[in-house]
Amino acid sequence: MKHNIFSLSAACLIAGVVASSCSKESLASPDPLLPAEGVPTLGISLGVEGATRATNPGEFEPGSGYENYLDITGNDYRIYFFDAEKNNYLATFDPYLKPSINPEPEEGTYYYTFMGQVPSNVGTKFKLVVAANWGTYPEEKEEADAAEGSFSLVKGVTTIKDLTTHAGSQFEALATPAEGEDWLGPKRLIPFYGVRRYDLGEDKYGVNQYIDSEGNLKKDVYVDLTKYALPLLRAMARVEVVLDNAYASFSSVKMTRYNSKGYCAPYSDAGGWQFDYKDYYQGYDYDWDTDFARVPHLVGGKNDANAVELEFKKVSSRKENDDKTVTPEKWVAYVPEYINVGTDDYTVITVTLANPDGETVPGTGDGDTEGTKKPPTNTIYFATNGTKESNDIPTAATRSEAGRYNIERNNIYRFTITGMTTTLTCQVDIQPFAEQILNMEFGLMYDERGDLMVLPDENGTLPDYFIKYMEGRDWPTVENSNVPLKPEKGDYYAIVLGEDGQIGSSQTEIWLKDSEGCRILSNFIEKTDDSQECSTRKVIHFFGLNESVYYKDIQGERRLHHYPNHWTIVLDNEGAMIFKDPDNKTRYRVESWDESDGCWIISKEVISTDKKTITTTLTLIDDVGNISNTIKEITEDYLDFKSKDDSSQ
């Protein structure tokens, strides 16, 4: 019997750094047991998907590693229900099933899936608010705390504005990481926020007939919301200074001022702010003028009064790669939002040149004392082309008009310096973190082709969540038939996402793959004397953009030829050609083989007593696969590489 299930895909728009505040209140451990039959449940999928505005449509970048990481295992997240119209708090979603996430994220992004009971007072019209990596969260109470500075969630009273503007929703900016430490990590995480309104009575959700007269869902209905993503925003921006020059390096990169705190969530006092994702996200076109929150949400509504300098961290040195590409020198910092437009306390970036061995280069200007010289420096402005001329225009830059840039959440501000003239020719590129197909779903990792791996346990049992996920889906079958594929030891199921990147989409396919990532197309064929496919199964091997279709035997080796006596010629996993018996106990290396000349195997190798020559005995295999009496010997000079290596030491 089905339960009431909402399947929600929530996409993350990303930007910034870590949250830290008071003590962390922890969610209870999820109950591994499903609720009783007919009790409504809610399935939510949070994925990293969208970004902020781009200078040109379609230009956005994926985040990587901890830029896309929600600390699910540490319970550093909350999913709240709020009233759809009044924005009042209704309930907190407490999942009984949640993903296990790799604590050391790889490059790329993640997908997070939860399931839990639907609170009885939610109904079918609600807003979902997602907060993650905030560090602390308000607790639900019967009435508001009276103590100054305290904050709690009270049903029907606390609003989304209260949640997003309270001091408890602020985070401390990250200091420059110490030597050997990264900007982001398990204890230096990015705060995320997202909100979206849902009305399940709308035709697009397809469940009108399952809503009763009181506005609640009837039991045993499946509601699929995977096409209606909830975008999440990073609370900070990434600022990069890239030096694309083969003859220079920086000894330091510094920002003259930045804000020491920020809000985890966007907010504006401007009219029309609805506390919905449309306040900051108008769609998937990433339009410069309409998408995303354009007003920084600052603590106290203004920049910090005291200028504090922030040092960037060098994350890569210039390197010429084997594929002829060049990795440039790059310096990075993660910062809260900052107002540069229309203010005199704007921030700039100061770069200082170093000589090739890393020492400070003597400059040409006078120093503070007679006889000393300052190292060469230059200033980059958060303005069109990074120039002072553009910064002298105090209004905001547009796509067509020069001016200044505020530092806004979820943006990458990349200053690429390509020249070493006195002006340090600079190109400014403001990119968003991009829409991205995800690296983990259900806590799973991608295989080399980019498909999600669902691995059985040592007994061959598949995870419960995958069994539930497959309800109503087709299991893989033998090609061009309805015969189910039979998994063998080492096989796994692969979730192959479609172009929309949504795990719940109709475009998603399920494949069966072997331990090498080959797609399996058939079950093992029965033992047959005169069949080249005897005791093999058909697979597709993926190598980059290329695909090869061939047959593999039970040992996972590629079948090249089958003899009537069931001896075979195969390619082993290292690409060597092998002649082996049916039980894989006797194996010979193949010296040469083709249909006309037959198969010659290396049956013996003898090194002379003076270690100057080696004699290889080659034996011919006859047409039925028997080792014949036909042999030939080849004697060659013997190179004892080990002896030569030893003598040279």
Side-chain angles (χ1 to χ4, degrees):
M1 182 73 73
K2 286 185 178 178
H3 299 295
N4 280 2
I5 298 177
F6 300 164
S7 177
L8 170 68
S9 175
C12 302
L13 305 180
I14 309 191
V17 146
V18 69
S20 61
S21 24
C22 4
S23 61
K24 180 183 292 187
E25 163 250 342
S26 177
L27 286 176
S29 298
D31 183 351
L33 300 178
L34 296 177
E37 181 178 318
V39 175
T41 61
L42 174 64
I44 297 179
S45 296
L46 304 180
V48 180
E49 182 174 335
T52 82
R53 58 184 172 85
T55 52
N56 294 301
E59 292 183 358
F60 8 98
E61 292 190 9
S64 63
Y66 283 103
E67 288 181 332
N68 304 329
Y69 188 74
L70 312 185
D71 186 12
I72 303 302
T73 55
N75 287 322
D76 193 0
Y77 73 97
R78 293 296 182 273
I79 302 171
Y80 300 118
F81 292 94
F82 280 79
D83 181 89
E85 308 302 333
K86 299 179 181 178
N87 295 322
N88 294 330
Y89 171 71
L90 298 176
T92 298
F93 183 55
D94 187 10
Y96 54 74
L97 177 67
K98 60 181 180 179
S100 59
I101 302 299
N102 182 358
E104 296 294 334
E106 303 290 336
E107 290 296 309
T109 53
Y110 289 79
Y111 208 93
Y112 308 88
T113 299
F114 308 83
M115 185 174 289
Q117 183 171 326
V118 177
S120 59
N121 61 327
V122 167
T124 57
K125 296 181 181 181
F126 52 83
K127 287 179 181 177
L128 278 175
V129 173
V130 178
N133 302 345
W134 285 25
T136 59
Y137 305 87
E139 297 182 17
E140 181 178 317
K141 295 189 176 181
E142 293 292 331
E143 54 185 42
D145 290 320
E148 183 178 354
S150 61
F151 182 44
S152 57
L153 291 169
V154 181
K155 290 182 179 179
V157 176
T158 306
T159 64
I160 301 179
K161 180 180 178 180
D162 295 333
L163 175 67
T164 57
T165 60
H166 191 271
S169 300
Q170 298 174 12
F171 63 91
E172 300 283 345
L174 290 181
T176 305
E179 186 71 26
E181 185 180 25
D182 295 324
W183 267 108
L184 302 177
K187 307 243 181 237
R188 295 166 67 93
L189 295 175
I190 301 170
F192 289 85
Y193 171 83
V195 58
R196 182 165 183 172
R197 182 185 187 276
Y198 294 90
D199 180 358
L200 301 182
E202 295 178 11
D203 291 339
K204 63 182 180 182
Y205 297 111
V207 294
N208 288 306
Q209 64 271 36
Y210 299 102
I211 301 175
D212 63 24
S213 59
E214 297 180 355
N216 297 313
L217 283 174
K218 300 175 184 178
K219 67 177 183 177
D220 304 328
V221 58
Y222 177 76
V223 183
D224 185 358
L225 302 183
T226 57
K227 296 180 180 179
Y228 310 104
L230 192 166
L232 300 190
L233 289 172
R234 294 181 182 88
M236 300 184 77
R238 186 172 92 205
V239 183
E240 297 180 0
V241 176
V242 179
L243 179 57
D244 191 6
N245 188 287
Y247 307 104
S249 180
F250 291 138
S251 62
S252 70
V253 176
K254 298 179 181 180
M255 184 179 293
T256 57
R257 61 181 76 219
Y258 72 105
N259 287 324
S260 61
K261 291 184 177 182
Y263 276 106
C264 297
Y267 171 71
S268 173
D269 288 323
W273 192 264
Q274 299 296 317
F275 295 99
D276 191 0
Y277 85 113
K278 291 184 179 179
D279 292 324
Y280 56 84
Y281 188 76
Q282 300 303 318
Y284 291 91
D285 56 351
Y286 301 104
D287 184 83
W288 175 282
D289 297 313
T290 60
D291 273 354
F292 313 105
R294 298 300 303 275
V295 180
H297 186 196
L298 305 187
V299 175
K302 57 185 180 180
N303 296 330
D304 289 354
N306 300 320
V308 179
E309 194 173 67
L310 179 69
E311 292 192 17
F312 285 55
K313 183 178 179 68
K314 188 177 181 179
V315 297
S316 66
S317 299
R318 182 181 176 84
K319 177 185 177 184
E320 295 185 4
N321 304 309
D322 293 339
D323 61 358
K324 307 303 182 184
T325 61
V326 174
T327 300
E329 179 176 318
K330 182 187 292 187
W331 298 69
V332 171
Y334 292 87
V335 294
E337 294 182 299
Y338 193 92
I339 292 178
N340 284 311
V341 176
T343 180
D344 292 333
D345 60 349
Y346 54 83
T347 187
V348 299
I349 297 172
T350 301
V351 296
T352 303
L353 285 174
N355 70 12
D357 61 8
E359 298 296 328
T360 301
V361 179
T364 56
D366 290 337
D368 296 328
T369 60
E370 187 176 354
T372 64
K373 294 181 179 180
K374 292 181 179 179
T377 64
N378 215 307
T379 302
I380 303 171
Y381 297 85
F382 282 85
T384 306
N385 297 326
T387 64
K388 182 179 185 302
E389 290 75 15
S390 297
N391 192 71
D392 287 342
I393 304 171
T395 55
T398 66
R399 188 172 295 158
S400 58
E401 297 181 0
R404 296 183 190 175
Y405 303 119
N406 288 326
I407 302 176
E408 299 172 12
R409 67 182 61 224
N410 209 57
N411 275 334
I412 302 171
Y413 294 81
R414 177 174 294 119
F415 298 87
T416 301
I417 299 172
T418 56
M420 294 310 302
T421 63
T422 55
T423 58
L424 284 173
T425 304
C426 182
Q427 175 185 351
V428 182
D429 188 15
I430 304 178
Q431 297 284 359
F433 289 88
E435 183 175 20
Q436 180 74 4
I437 296 176
L438 308 164
N439 228 12
M440 293 185 72
E441 276 110 16
F442 299 123
L444 306 177
M445 294 299 297
Y446 275 138
D447 61 17
E448 291 186 2
R449 184 182 176 275
D451 301 324
L452 292 157
M453 303 172 66
V454 181
L455 299 171
D457 62 20
E458 57 185 10
N459 297 318
T461 304
L462 291 167
D464 289 340
Y465 65 77
F466 184 66
I467 299 297
K468 179 172 288 292
Y469 171 76
M470 289 301 296
E471 290 180 1
R473 292 182 175 273
D474 294 329
W475 290 82
T477 59
V478 174
E479 63 174 347
N480 303 320
S481 78
N482 294 320
V483 178
L485 285 173
K486 179 185 176 183
E488 303 288 342
K489 186 175 181 179
D491 294 347
Y492 64 92
Y493 286 95
I495 301 175
V496 184
L497 303 180
E499 292 183 359
D500 58 7
Q502 300 291 340
I503 195 170
S505 168
S506 60
Q507 298 179 14
T508 301
E509 297 182 25
I510 307 300
W511 295 355
L512 183 65
K513 290 189 175 184
D514 66 16
S515 59
E516 293 183 317
C518 296
R519 182 182 182 182
I520 299 166
L521 300 179
S522 72
N523 293 319
F524 277 102
I525 298 169
E526 294 181 0
K527 189 173 183 179
T528 308
D529 294 351
D530 58 355
S531 172
Q532 289 297 317
E533 286 76 49
C534 166
S535 304
T536 64
R537 59 182 177 180
K538 189 177 181 181
V539 301
I540 301 177
H541 177 86
F542 303 97
F543 185 78
L545 299 177
N546 299 317
E547 299 179 3
S548 297
V549 179
Y550 55 82
Y551 289 84
K552 276 189 175 185
D553 62 19
I554 194 66
Q555 284 82 36
E557 295 179 311
R558 178 175 178 174
R559 171 72 56 80
L560 297 180
H561 187 74
H562 175 267
Y563 291 98
N565 66 352
H566 297 290
W567 282 64
T568 57
I569 301 174
V570 298
L571 284 180
D572 69 10
N573 293 330
E574 295 181 355
M577 196 178 299
I578 303 296
F579 176 66
K580 66 178 183 177
D581 73 353
D583 298 321
N584 196 37
K585 294 180 179 178
T586 304
R587 297 169 65 93
Y588 298 96
R589 189 151 53 93
V590 175
E591 192 275 342
S592 68
W593 169 76
D594 61 47
E595 294 287 353
S596 59
D597 189 37
C599 175
W600 290 91
I601 63 170
I602 299 174
S603 55
K604 186 167 58 174
E605 291 178 319
V606 178
I607 301 171
S608 63
T609 55
D610 59 5
K611 294 188 177 181
K612 291 184 177 181
T613 62
I614 180 171
T615 300
T616 303
T617 301
L618 304 179
T619 303
L620 184 66
I621 307 303
D622 66 21
D623 292 341
V624 296
N626 296 321
I627 299 176
S628 71
N629 295 322
T630 304
I631 63 173
K632 58 183 177 181
E633 293 182 342
I634 301 174
T635 300
E636 301 171 297
D637 290 339
Y638 176 65
L639 300 178
D640 188 348
F641 292 104
K642 184 176 187 301
S643 298
K644 290 181 181 295
D645 291 342
D646 291 343
S647 63
S648 65
Q649 293 179 356

